Amino acid sequence: RDRSPSRGLGDVYKRQGISSNNPDNEIEILKSRNILGKVIDSLQLNVSYFTEGRVSTSERYKEDSPIFFIQTAVFNKTNSNTFIVKVVDSLNYEFIDDEDVSKSSHAFGESVTIDNDIFIVETNKKNKPEEGETILVKITSRDLLINRLKKDINITPLNENSSILLLNLNGSVIEKAEDILNELVKQYNTDAISDKNLISQNTKDFIDDRLRKIKSDLFLIDDKVKDFKDSKDITGCLLYTSPSPR
């Protein structure tokens, strides 16, 4: 199977009204730490699962994974870690070391605290783990993942004179690579809309501020005119008429 999914970014410019005259700028935005960080958070890419087969170890992505490692609000995404989960039965599991020695036992669905990080391990109801099955859970720091994506994602113009960008990402799991590219385009569009909304709001705030100042100035002028008329005992309006012709 093709393990290098690609995505074209031609309509992105037109949909968001972004100039396509400088593709290099758009490539920088697409590969910015801000955009890539949002992709990682949205897809929870800092957690990955692996099982050992007869020949090699393979990654189990999304619904293919027999368990889910759920991060709570109290979880440090700046650190990397590795856990080996061994399924005891349908309700319980244990963390083991490389020698298959149990380190701690827990129930699926309960909160677990390790190194001040709080998380929950649950079974996949659609793909339940087998008794005795072991799953390697790798936690990768957010910064390390951003650097990896910046290196692995390749973005190039379709040709020398084209404003269309071609996105390419190699990966052992094609569905994961496709999800990353799709989410990258989604976050790019969302970021462009946010920038437009921010510019519109700033413009509106500027105009509103100018109108308030003009209104304030008009009130001040009106007060000065009133004070002048009162000081000169003038009432009514002064009208200027041109001399009548002889």
Side-chain angles (χ1 to χ4, degrees):
R1 298 174 63 184
D2 179 13
R3 299 191 181 278
S4 303
S6 302
R7 289 290 179 272
L9 263 185
D11 294 336
V12 174
Y13 301 119
K14 297 176 183 177
R15 285 201 300 269
Q16 302 305 332
I18 300 173
S19 172
S20 59
N21 293 328
N22 195 343
D24 288 341
N25 282 351
E26 306 313 317
I27 292 174
E28 288 298 318
I29 294 173
L30 282 161
K31 300 185 76 169
S32 67
R33 301 188 72 83
N34 175 49
I35 297 293
L36 293 177
K38 291 177 180 179
V39 171
I40 291 168
D41 293 341
S42 178
L43 298 177
Q44 297 184 27
L45 297 177
N46 66 316
V47 181
S48 50
Y49 311 91
F50 300 85
T51 56
E52 191 171 329
R54 294 180 179 180
V55 180
S56 62
T57 299
S58 58
E59 182 173 359
R60 309 287 292 274
Y61 180 63
K62 290 172 67 171
E63 294 299 325
D64 187 42
S65 174
I67 63 171
F68 297 127
F69 187 98
I70 302 172
Q71 304 161 87
T72 67
V74 187
F75 193 91
N76 190 349
K77 294 184 179 181
T78 62
N79 297 329
S80 296
N81 210 339
T82 300
F83 302 96
I84 303 177
V85 176
K86 184 174 183 178
V87 179
V88 176
D89 52 41
S90 61
L91 300 176
N92 303 283
Y93 69 95
E94 56 186 7
F95 289 119
I96 61 174
D97 60 18
D98 294 335
E99 303 298 326
D100 201 19
V101 177
S102 177
K103 298 169 65 177
S104 60
S105 299
H106 309 275
F108 287 112
E110 76 172 8
S111 294
V112 179
T113 302
I114 295 181
D115 297 333
N116 297 320
D117 289 334
I118 301 176
F119 56 88
I120 299 170
V121 177
E122 291 186 348
T123 59
N124 184 351
K125 305 303 181 184
K126 298 180 181 179
N127 184 23
K128 294 182 179 180
E130 298 179 1
E131 186 175 315
E133 184 176 5
T134 59
I135 302 99
L136 177 67
V137 181
K138 295 187 69 174
I139 312 297
T140 308
S141 76
R142 191 172 185 269
D143 283 343
L144 185 61
L145 275 176
I146 290 175
N147 293 336
R148 187 178 299 170
L149 286 179
K150 283 178 70 72
K151 178 182 177 182
D152 292 345
I153 295 176
N154 187 36
I155 307 176
T156 56
L158 188 60
N159 56 58
E160 185 178 351
N161 299 317
S162 176
S163 61
I164 298 175
L165 298 179
L166 184 66
L167 282 67
N168 182 277
L169 173 62
N170 295 323
S172 59
V173 181
I174 190 169
E175 182 184 5
K176 183 175 183 178
E178 288 177 340
D179 285 349
I180 291 173
L181 294 184
N182 288 333
E183 187 64 26
L184 180 61
V185 174
K186 176 184 175 182
Q187 293 297 337
Y188 172 91
N189 285 335
T190 300
D191 190 70
I193 292 172
S194 297
D195 284 348
K196 276 192 167 185
N197 289 341
L198 180 61
I199 293 173
S200 297
Q201 185 61 47
N202 288 341
T203 302
K204 179 180 180 300
D205 291 343
F206 174 78
I207 293 174
D208 289 343
D209 182 62
R210 294 301 300 165
L211 288 175
R212 281 192 296 270
K213 289 182 178 179
I214 292 173
K215 185 177 181 180
S216 176
D217 290 343
L218 288 175
F219 277 126
L220 182 62
I221 293 172
D222 188 59
D223 288 340
K224 287 183 177 180
V225 171
K226 183 176 181 301
D227 291 341
F228 174 78
K229 292 169 68 175
D230 289 342
S231 66
K232 301 298 182 180
D233 195 23
I234 300 173
T235 59
C237 298
L238 292 175
L239 297 177
Y240 171 78
T241 58
S242 59
S244 57
R246 293 183 179 180

